[in-house]
Amino acid sequence: MKIVVTGGLGFIGSHTVVELQNEGFEVIVIDNLSNSSERVLDGIYAITGKMPIFEKIDLRDKASVQNIFKKYNDISGVIHFAASKAVGESVENPLLYYENNINTLVYLLQELEKLPIVSFIFSSSCTVYGQAEKMPITENASVQPAMSPYGNTKQIGEEIIADVAKVSNINAVLLRYFNPIGAHPSTEIGELPIGVPQNLVPFITQTAIGLREQLSVYGDDYATPDGTAVRDYIHVVDLAKAHVMALQRLLKKQNIEKVETFNLGTGTGTSVLQVITTFEKVSNQKLNYKIVGRREGDITSAYANTDKANKVLGWKAQSSLEEALASAWKWEQKIRS
């Protein structure tokens, strides 16, 4: 079966391509290389022994999207990762985020609507919950007003998919991730942020290796045990495997509703300072960090209730925080060597 993976050379996308190919799917990767590198294809090949089909396309170009679906007319499913994803950047440049995250989704769905039946997996985010009233967060938690344009694009994206699924042959799964970290155990692929990392773990590893002078911890006055923000950090390989399971659920027509939603996390909340001390332990590195003011758009705490994904998808996160951070550090050492 042919599966399209948009943003397939990105961090989560590339790990998902590996898991799909390991399960025997034929993968067509679409990526515009705005936040990734063609070298990632070599990493995927090194792990799986198979090179995915690669199409360098910007999904903001509607004609290019149409041409892909003319070229490959036997597509069974689409996993849609391609999107801009930095909360801070979205606050500074909202129009970039609305164009990149909403227009591209619309153009894809317009093509999928023409197909007899299609399975669609959407890369969503726990940001749709905003600052949830209760922890851990279940899928029934109310979607709060977005705290950033990035969060808003995920909310709007989910609404668009629900509306389209009602009147088309599209069946969809919305996967709301918590905080993906780590790298493939082979160290052939991992997180490759272009420029200054927007996420905690790559900033930690880059600081440890000497690429960044100092790590900023945004706020230590949150209502958490140590005052720093709490998140649910999930190993990227565990996350990738969930995409394959969600896709198989749709392909086997096991879905109960046209659009299903699952939280993907570990179910454990970890503070920024806890991540730092755990990293120091697994890497034997002392981190130079400094407490600075809070960052706009950040919430106090978010961690998942994963019961639904565990029971319905039969999926559970396997890797510990220590394993995820150790893999991120090995990856950082490899790419800097």
Side-chain angles (χ1 to χ4, degrees):
M1 283 186 172
K2 278 202 182 82
I3 307 299
V4 167
V5 181
T6 73
L9 298 186
F11 177 40
I12 308 166
S14 59
H15 286 81
T16 302
V17 171
V18 163
E19 297 304 324
L20 285 166
Q21 291 196 163
N22 284 343
E23 288 294 316
F25 289 101
E26 187 176 354
V27 181
I28 301 159
V29 169
I30 293 176
D31 205 300
N32 68 352
L33 305 177
S34 63
N35 197 26
S36 57
S37 161
E38 217 169 322
R39 292 196 311 275
V40 176
L41 288 165
D42 298 329
I44 293 168
Y45 179 75
I47 299 165
T48 65
K50 192 174 177 194
M51 189 63 86
I53 299 164
F54 174 55
E55 296 282 356
K56 187 187 172 192
I57 281 169
D58 192 323
L59 294 174
R60 291 174 296 186
D61 178 33
K62 189 173 180 173
S64 295
V65 180
Q66 291 169 332
N67 290 336
I68 274 291
F69 286 90
K70 282 179 193 142
K71 185 172 175 181
Y72 304 101
N73 57 9
D74 55 347
I75 289 162
S76 301
V78 173
I79 303 182
H80 182 42
F81 293 104
S84 302
K85 62 175 178 60
V87 169
E89 184 187 46
S90 79
V91 173
E92 289 159 21
N93 196 348
L95 284 177
L96 169 77
Y97 274 67
Y98 288 115
E99 181 190 30
N100 213 20
N101 296 8
I102 303 299
N103 290 12
T104 57
L105 174 64
V106 170
Y107 297 158
L108 265 179
L109 293 173
Q110 283 172 337
E111 295 313 302
L112 298 185
E113 218 177 12
K114 299 170 188 172
L115 300 176
I117 188 159
V118 76
S119 303
F120 188 72
I121 310 290
F122 181 60
S123 162
S124 192
S125 166
C126 64
T127 56
V128 300
Y129 298 117
Q131 181 53 69
E133 287 142 25
K134 233 168 88 183
M135 292 295 145
I137 302 168
T138 70
E139 288 81 357
N140 297 328
S142 58
V143 170
Q144 302 281 357
M147 295 181 74
S148 68
Y150 164 70
N152 203 24
T153 65
K154 291 300 177 188
Q155 289 183 14
I156 294 166
E158 288 194 2
E159 289 166 9
I160 291 169
I161 293 161
D163 288 341
V164 174
K166 277 179 204 156
V167 294
S168 72
N169 288 322
I170 296 170
N171 288 282
V173 172
L174 314 174
L175 295 177
R176 292 173 176 167
Y177 321 152
F178 282 68
N179 292 65
I181 61 167
H184 197 272
S186 66
T187 67
E188 293 291 349
I189 55 172
E191 195 164 4
L192 269 175
I194 290 171
V196 179
Q198 302 281 344
N199 297 331
L200 176 63
V201 171
F203 214 114
I204 284 176
T205 59
Q206 289 190 11
T207 305
I209 209 136
L211 202 65
R212 306 278 159 208
E213 195 181 325
Q214 192 173 59
L215 169 73
S216 295
V217 174
Y218 296 104
D220 65 347
D221 56 350
Y222 286 104
T224 61
D226 63 21
T228 62
V230 167
R231 298 290 183 268
D232 187 339
Y233 296 93
I234 174 172
H235 197 301
V236 66
V237 173
D238 283 334
L239 188 63
K241 286 177 176 167
H243 288 75
V244 181
M245 293 169 98
L247 179 68
Q248 285 168 331
R249 178 172 170 81
L250 292 182
L251 293 171
K252 290 174 186 167
K253 302 184 171 49
Q254 292 170 333
N255 51 311
I256 294 154
E257 297 164 279
K258 290 274 286 172
V259 179
E260 295 183 322
T261 305
F262 296 96
N263 285 341
L264 298 179
T266 63
T268 303
T270 308
S271 76
V272 174
L273 285 180
Q274 284 174 318
V275 173
I276 288 170
T277 54
T278 306
F279 176 81
E280 288 181 332
K281 190 176 83 185
V282 300
S283 67
N284 290 319
Q285 301 292 314
K286 197 83 189 123
L287 274 179
N288 179 26
Y289 69 89
K290 179 183 166 191
I291 309 290
V292 298
R294 292 187 186 190
R295 187 170 55 178
E296 194 182 346
D298 278 350
I299 56 169
T300 302
S301 182
Y303 56 97
N305 177 316
T306 61
D307 290 350
K308 187 180 175 188
N310 300 162
K311 288 175 189 149
V312 180
L313 275 186
W315 169 88
K316 197 173 190 334
Q318 302 295 329
S319 297
S320 66
L321 179 67
E322 285 82 358
E323 287 166 329
L325 289 171
S327 70
W329 177 232
K330 273 189 196 142
W331 167 249
E332 186 69 53
Q333 290 172 297
K334 180 190 172 174
I335 57 176
R336 304 298 164 200
S337 61

